[in-house]
Amino acid sequence: MTIKFYLRYYTHFGQTLWISGNTEELGNDDPAKAIPMTWLNNENWYCILDIKKKKLRSQLRYRYFLKQGDGEISWDGEKQRVIGELPNKCREIQIVDTWNAAGEYENVFFTAAFRDVFFASRTGAKGLRQSPGKDSTHLFKVKAPTLDKNEVVCLLGSGLSLGYWSTEKPILLEKKGDWWTAQVDLSREGFPAAYKYGVYNSKKNSFIQYEEGENRIIHSESARNKITVLHDGFVHLSNTNWKAAGIAIPVFSLKSRNSFGVGEFSDLKLMVDWARSVGMKLIQLLPVNDTTSSRAWTDSYPYSAISSFALHPIYINLSKLAGKLHAGKLLPFKEQQKHLNALTGLDYEQVMKLKIGILKDLYELMSRDCFESEDYKMFFIQNKAWLQPYAAYSFFRDQYGSSDF
């Protein structure tokens, strides 16, 4: 099986593109064994590989990365590049991909906040259910995360197979996961062929709009036993069709009766309830990463983090951590808790001193059960890359009383 990868990407001198995947031919997901791509022109890089077809019976995953002249790597933000089962007669796959920058605006709409909350009611329409056509020559794949209910992606273009740009009966795409897909037989069409995606209301059976921008172009001609897969990124629609009001706030200011002198992670639930009661849909938090370097009030600045991953221990709710079993350990500190909660501001140094002392006491009681739990073991495995250097840094900071050890 021959697979030809084409990636649309404009590079500068010194930059190179690479492809990595979950097969031996693609380096078994090891960037050090990734396959270099070849510059074709100012808009495309390519790579041609021979992969045993039996390996495609299970999904072949692959991903691109950009390497700078100094060796620095930037990964493509698209994590769903897969090749699944294909017709038996297929001997060649040509994949035309679009680079998905991790910071691409539309990617935010695939996060849990939008998928599970904001867009949960936008069930939408699944489009036209298609069975794999044995005569299909081209597979179109595109994303459109902001469609409203009953809206589906449609395909229009030049030539008979693409409907001669007719908005009366466009090709309706089928929703599969995050992708909208359509299989089309273009074996009788002339190339290059022009096409565009659009939005169609499946309930009213009416065309709504074309996507913005220039026509998309297919350069690859059809051939027997060959399939061309077009990963077209996102449908080019306006990015201003979703708006929401919200509030930006630091966690340390969310102090409640159950706090210990400072707003805590558990207080976020109260904030969410309030935001919903006044019609707000978003809460933006100041950084909540650990800033402990000197254990002085200067550590209270939330933008001086010592770790990109570790959360600040000051935000831990002690009663939830202790649970019913060790709740008695907190009783001697009730008066201090009331005093700190009554302050108009945050006494950062005093809160940290008390909390860290209590956390050390709870550690002596709870650490053994914690380290033997499957949850902790899994957490350690998944976070080992940052957890070990963070722990080492914190150990030496405390040993020498300085972050400049």
Side-chain angles (χ1 to χ4, degrees):
M1 167 73 70
T2 299
I3 303 181
K4 298 179 179 179
F5 297 91
Y6 290 86
L7 177 62
R8 307 176 182 112
Y9 194 92
Y10 180 85
T11 52
H12 298 282
F13 181 77
Q15 294 178 326
T16 54
L17 287 164
W18 301 68
I19 182 170
S20 177
N22 64 339
T23 67
E24 184 177 351
E25 294 86 349
L26 289 170
N28 290 320
D29 292 323
D30 182 356
K33 299 179 181 178
I35 307 301
M37 301 186 75
T38 302
W39 184 87
L40 180 63
N41 53 44
N42 284 337
E43 296 181 355
N44 292 275
W45 287 65
Y46 75 98
C47 175
I48 301 176
L49 295 175
D50 286 320
I51 296 179
K52 294 180 180 178
K53 191 172 182 180
K54 64 180 181 181
K55 294 184 179 181
L56 298 180
R57 291 175 183 170
S58 59
Q59 287 189 337
L60 182 151
R61 292 180 291 98
Y62 66 97
R63 199 174 176 190
Y64 300 105
F65 64 83
L66 175 72
K67 184 182 289 188
Q68 304 291 348
D70 60 3
E72 181 183 354
I73 287 177
S74 301
W75 285 94
D76 170 36
E78 180 56 63
K79 299 178 181 179
Q80 296 187 33
R81 300 197 187 279
V82 297
I83 303 173
E85 287 193 56
L86 300 165
N88 291 328
K89 293 183 179 180
C90 181
R91 295 291 179 266
E92 179 182 323
I93 309 172
Q94 179 169 282
I95 299 174
V96 183
D97 280 322
T98 302
W99 178 273
N100 181 359
E104 195 76 32
Y105 177 88
E106 286 86 352
N107 285 325
V108 72
F109 297 114
F110 290 99
T111 58
F114 284 91
R115 188 197 305 271
D116 301 336
V117 182
F118 295 130
F119 292 171
S121 61
R122 293 190 186 187
T123 54
K126 293 186 178 297
L128 177 64
R129 182 169 296 280
Q130 303 170 16
S131 56
K134 63 179 181 179
D135 295 325
S136 298
T137 61
H138 288 72
L139 171 62
F140 295 82
K141 299 184 68 174
V142 72
K143 291 183 175 182
T146 60
L147 296 184
D148 285 325
K149 191 173 183 178
N150 299 317
E151 291 183 349
V152 301
V153 178
C154 61
L155 177 66
L156 313 91
S158 59
L160 178 63
S161 300
L162 294 174
Y164 288 118
W165 300 103
S166 172
T167 59
E168 297 297 321
K169 292 185 178 181
I171 298 172
L172 301 186
L173 277 68
E174 178 185 1
K175 186 74 179 296
K176 293 184 177 180
D178 291 338
W179 294 94
W180 290 88
T181 70
Q183 299 181 67
V184 184
D185 179 9
L186 300 181
S187 58
R188 299 180 182 179
E189 302 299 334
F191 291 88
Y195 69 101
K196 265 192 172 184
Y197 295 104
V199 181
Y200 189 86
N201 188 306
S202 60
K203 186 175 183 179
K204 297 180 180 179
N205 292 321
S206 62
F207 180 79
I208 299 175
Q209 68 176 99
Y210 281 104
E211 66 174 335
E212 300 170 355
E214 300 293 330
N215 291 341
R216 301 176 188 255
I217 303 297
I218 309 173
H219 296 282
S220 172
E221 295 189 9
S222 305
R224 293 185 62 185
N225 304 328
K226 171 186 172 183
I227 290 180
T228 298
V229 181
L230 298 161
H231 281 131
D232 279 328
F234 298 102
V235 177
H236 299 152
L237 299 174
S238 171
N239 289 334
T240 60
N241 58 349
W242 189 88
K243 294 182 175 69
I247 186 170
I249 196 165
V251 172
F252 60 71
S253 68
L254 300 179
K255 189 166 57 177
S256 71
R257 294 188 184 92
N258 296 321
S259 304
F260 203 100
V262 63
E264 299 170 339
F265 289 128
S266 55
D267 296 320
L268 282 168
K269 293 184 178 181
L270 301 175
M271 185 64 194
V272 170
D273 291 341
W274 175 84
R276 179 167 183 169
S277 71
V278 298
M280 290 187 176
K281 293 187 175 181
L282 296 169
I283 298 174
Q284 178 179 341
L285 300 177
L286 268 64
V288 291
N289 302 82
D290 190 359
T291 59
T292 310
S293 58
S294 64
R295 299 201 183 279
W297 67 269
T298 51
D299 291 346
S300 63
Y301 184 61
Y303 296 97
S304 57
I306 64 171
S307 169
S308 298
F309 301 93
L311 302 181
H312 205 305
I314 200 171
Y315 299 129
I316 295 174
N317 183 281
L318 296 174
S319 61
K320 288 187 176 294
L321 177 64
K324 294 181 179 179
L325 183 61
H326 302 293
K329 286 292 179 180
L330 304 181
L331 292 178
F333 304 98
K334 285 295 182 181
E335 288 302 318
Q336 290 165 297
Q337 181 182 13
K338 290 180 181 179
H339 168 71
L340 292 170
N341 280 343
L343 296 177
T344 55
L346 164 62
D347 188 336
Y348 182 86
E349 293 185 18
Q350 187 64 12
V351 170
M352 276 294 289
K353 181 179 179 180
L354 279 170
K355 275 202 164 184
I356 293 300
I358 296 171
L359 285 171
K360 287 183 177 180
D361 290 340
L362 291 174
Y363 172 83
E364 295 298 329
L365 297 170
M366 303 171 65
S367 59
R368 182 174 179 179
D369 289 340
C370 173
F371 293 147
E372 291 179 354
S373 70
E374 291 303 318
D375 283 346
Y376 170 78
K377 292 176 182 177
M378 183 58 66
F379 169 81
F380 179 79
I381 291 172
Q382 293 176 344
N383 297 276
K384 185 177 179 180
W386 68 263
L387 190 58
Q388 286 187 319
Y390 166 71
Y393 173 90
S394 299
F395 172 80
F396 287 119
R397 174 203 60 204
D398 293 345
Q399 185 178 40
Y400 295 105
S402 169
S403 59
D404 189 23
F405 50 80

